[in-house]
Amino acid sequence: KKHLDYLFKSGANVVDIGGESTRPGSKPISSKVEWRRLNNILKKTKKKLISLDTRKSDIMEKGIKLGVNLINDVSGLNYDNNSVNILKKYKVPFVLQHSQGNPDVMQKKPKYLNVLLDIYDFFEKKIKFLRKIGIKHNNIILDPGIGFGKNLKHNMTIIKNISIYHSLGLPILLGISKKKYIKELSGKNDSMSRVGGTVSTSIFVMMQGVQMIRVHDVNEINQSIKVFKELIK
């Protein structure tokens, strides 16, 4: 709770809370365990903008009933077939994220014909499907899923060409904080915090019109953005 308050005080607009790790190599957990981790913290977050990071429809529904404002499903709504029904029923905003493979195996030699276009096709087909089943609201955010079934080359291609996804007409979110590509690019200059690489990426994607970034070091990123905006005035 203290950490949550600190994030909002540092200038976070939304805080993303999850009870199941989906980092590379992580194993799935049961709904019971996931909800046990989330229940108490969600009850204490009234009047705050909260994003719920889950792949399970029953957790989504319980979270929405406790006042969650945004659903963030890293599986791109592919993990649980019922998720789309919950999103339709409650008309809740959600993040549509691209990932290739489940977290435990997604980093084992990911392959694409053309990473940019493959993700574009995924978004296009998914949006078409969501419209067809009756999700009419426009509160859908697109996340290409940096590090979710992508190697360094894939990640860099996506970040450098991120503006291609603007033509889909929906806001773009990028989770770039502390990701492995920063370590791979910085070599011996890598640090545990990876704030430097996160700052430079944040400013770069902001210049490409990305509307939302998911970060850990809210205070530092906010500081870098404020200073940068003044410098380019």
Side-chain angles (χ1 to χ4, degrees):
K1 178 79 167 64
K2 259 165 107 176
H3 185 57
L4 203 71
D5 291 338
Y6 170 73
L7 291 172
F8 281 113
K9 273 197 184 105
S10 301
N13 301 106
V14 185
V15 172
D16 194 41
I17 298 173
E20 177 187 49
S21 174
T22 50
R23 61 182 299 158
S26 58
K27 298 273 186 279
I29 59 168
S30 70
S31 284
K32 200 176 171 184
V33 174
E34 189 175 345
W35 186 245
R36 199 167 62 227
R37 292 174 181 175
L38 289 166
N39 193 9
N40 285 342
I41 186 79
L42 289 178
K43 279 178 178 165
K44 293 172 187 168
T45 57
K46 298 278 185 271
K47 294 179 185 164
K48 298 257 198 297
L49 276 176
I50 299 296
S51 162
L52 178 57
D53 176 357
T54 184
R55 303 182 290 169
K56 302 182 184 85
S57 62
D58 56 330
I59 304 285
M60 289 176 192
E61 187 160 36
K62 285 177 182 173
I64 293 163
K65 285 179 177 172
L66 282 184
V68 161
N69 312 89
L70 179 71
I71 296 293
N72 171 34
D73 178 354
V74 299
S75 79
L77 307 176
N78 284 336
Y79 184 81
D80 179 341
N81 289 336
N82 192 43
S83 297
V84 288
N85 301 324
I86 298 299
L87 297 174
K88 183 186 172 182
K89 182 180 173 184
Y90 294 98
K91 297 184 169 61
V92 68
F94 59 94
V95 178
L96 185 60
Q97 185 187 293
H98 176 277
S99 62
Q100 192 183 84
N102 285 324
D104 54 343
V105 294
M106 66 187 178
Q107 288 308 96
K108 290 181 180 171
K109 298 187 178 164
K111 282 190 177 73
Y112 296 88
L113 286 172
N114 178 318
V115 71
L116 278 180
L117 297 181
D118 288 1
I119 295 171
Y120 195 97
D121 285 349
F122 164 78
F123 283 147
E124 213 169 32
K125 281 181 186 141
K126 208 68 163 177
I127 294 162
K128 207 173 173 181
F129 164 72
L130 293 169
R131 297 289 184 238
K132 196 174 161 188
I133 64 155
I135 292 179
K136 297 278 183 272
H137 67 71
N138 256 345
N139 303 340
I140 303 169
I141 297 158
L142 305 178
D143 179 356
I146 298 298
F148 280 81
K150 285 108 183 160
N151 61 28
L152 175 62
K153 196 179 171 188
H154 298 144
N155 288 325
M156 293 310 288
T157 303
I158 295 162
I159 294 168
K160 285 180 180 180
N161 300 282
I162 192 66
S163 55
I164 188 177
Y165 301 112
H166 286 311
S167 63
L168 290 161
L170 296 168
I172 299 166
L173 181 148
L174 271 185
I176 36 91
S177 188
K178 302 187 181 189
K179 295 264 167 112
K180 192 183 170 191
Y181 78 91
I182 296 171
K183 174 189 173 183
E184 291 169 327
L185 292 173
S186 55
K188 65 177 169 46
N189 298 118
D190 186 39
S191 70
M192 281 295 288
S193 67
R194 298 184 189 162
V195 178
T198 305
V199 165
S200 57
T201 312
S202 299
I203 289 171
F204 179 81
V205 300
M206 197 180 84
M207 295 288 285
Q208 311 303 311
V210 168
Q211 294 93 335
M212 296 177 79
I213 44 175
R214 192 191 295 110
V215 296
H216 298 91
D217 306 285
V218 175
N219 204 50
E220 290 78 359
I221 305 302
N222 255 332
Q223 184 186 67
S224 71
I225 289 171
K226 282 175 182 172
V227 172
F228 185 75
K229 278 182 170 174
E230 283 302 314
L231 292 171
I232 61 167
K233 264 186 183 174

